[in-house]
Amino acid sequence: MPVMSGETCLAKLKENKDFNIPVIALTADALAGLEQKYKSEGFVDYIAKPFSRDQIKEKLELVFKN
């Protein structure tokens, strides 16, 4: 994002005690171990680019199933 990173944005959102929207990291970072990094920062899941419509659908189904 041009103004701040997704990690910074999520941290600022989580400063609001009423914020409870699940956020999936969508990133060009595709190195091993990054999924765990993003989850430890508060994202509920992780998708690396390039991605397919089916991958997005699968992640959304998992998030909203819980």
Side-chain angles (χ1 to χ4, degrees):
M1 297 185 336
V3 177
M4 71 177 73
S5 71
E7 295 96 321
T8 301
C9 181
L10 181 59
K12 287 189 176 289
L13 288 168
K14 288 188 173 262
E15 288 174 3
N16 179 341
K17 65 180 175 81
D18 295 323
F19 181 80
N20 64 355
I21 298 170
V23 179
I24 299 171
L26 177 60
T27 180
D29 289 340
L31 301 173
L34 285 178
E35 180 175 1
Q36 189 56 38
K37 171 191 174 274
Y38 286 111
K39 285 182 176 181
S40 72
E41 292 176 354
F43 292 93
V44 297
D45 215 327
Y46 160 90
I47 301 172
K49 296 176 188 175
F51 56 87
S52 69
R53 213 178 251 179
D54 288 339
Q55 286 172 304
I56 295 286
K57 182 180 176 192
E58 177 184 313
K59 296 291 183 178
L60 290 174
E61 286 174 352
L62 286 172
V63 167
F64 291 109
K65 182 174 155 182
N66 296 329

